[in-house]
Amino acid sequence: MIATDKRRASIQKGTSSSPPLNNLGVKKENIAAIIIGSAGGNDASGNPNIADDNSSFNKSVREVFKTLKDYQDSGILVLFIGLPYGMQDGNPRRAKKREAMDENFKKQAAAVGFTNYVSVMAETKKIKLAEKAAGYSMSPLFGVHYKRSPWKEQYADLIESILPFR
């Protein structure tokens, strides 16, 4: 999400509903902060080639982080909050894929010098496993989402603790 004094938009590249950041027509001086959260969850469910740093997927990811670094270097607050932990009963691969995607994003961000990638994987794993221990199934719908009390409040509190403003 891009927070400006005039509009909000997505950072995703290549879709008509969310043009690339540099094509939004928003001047840098009008941007207060850029905060992105949980990006890559659907990619983690699919099969992008994250093991290959030269894959088209990772090249695109680095381009996004390069753009974010440019904004960061110009004095704009930029935070990229990584994927939360997620699992699915009967399919432990989902959690492994999400963890691998988080690690890949950290690696790609570091490769271009972007320093505000915040991983929440370890903290959200504790929240999600407490939910499972309380007897709730990790079906596809609730496997990665934090919709039940008190877990949704714990997740919200975690994210709010990362933000430098309220």
Side-chain angles (χ1 to χ4, degrees):
M1 164 177 46
I2 301 166
T4 74
D5 59 350
K6 296 184 180 172
R7 69 169 95 180
R8 294 161 151 344
S10 169
I11 188 66
Q12 296 175 12
K13 295 182 89 170
T15 66
S16 60
S17 63
S18 55
L21 181 61
N22 55 357
N23 290 341
L24 290 174
V26 179
K27 295 180 181 179
K28 281 186 182 180
E29 58 269 18
N30 291 335
I31 298 175
I34 301 171
I35 301 171
I36 301 168
S38 300
N42 290 336
D43 290 321
S45 299
N47 193 20
N49 189 357
I50 63 172
D52 179 4
D53 284 337
N54 293 315
S55 69
S56 60
F57 177 81
N58 279 329
K59 287 178 183 176
S60 294
V61 169
R62 282 192 303 276
E63 284 301 314
V64 170
F65 283 121
K66 280 182 195 175
T67 301
L68 294 175
K69 183 182 183 313
D70 288 344
Y71 279 76
Q72 179 178 289
D73 290 349
S74 72
I76 296 169
L77 169 66
V78 181
L79 291 175
F80 194 111
I81 301 169
L83 287 171
Y85 179 81
M87 60 186 296
Q88 182 177 344
D89 285 340
N91 185 2
R93 292 178 299 186
R94 185 173 194 171
K96 290 178 183 172
K97 287 180 180 182
R98 292 177 71 82
E99 290 177 83
M101 185 64 73
D102 186 57
E103 289 298 319
N104 183 59
F105 278 179
K106 282 194 280 191
K107 178 181 176 184
Q108 302 307 324
V112 297
F114 178 74
T115 59
N116 284 348
Y117 184 90
V118 181
S119 177
V120 294
M121 189 63 63
E123 294 89 348
T124 57
K125 185 174 186 176
K126 292 174 193 169
I127 296 169
K128 187 53 72 175
L129 293 180
E131 182 179 5
K132 183 169 176 58
Y136 292 96
S137 71
M138 299 293 110
S139 65
L141 178 61
F142 292 111
V144 298
H145 299 283
Y146 295 78
K147 295 184 176 183
R148 297 186 190 96
S149 295
W151 302 282
K152 69 180 178 181
E153 286 84 6
Q154 291 173 16
Y155 180 71
D157 289 347
L158 170 66
I159 299 305
E160 284 185 13
S161 75
I162 293 166
L163 301 177
F165 47 82
R166 291 190 182 205

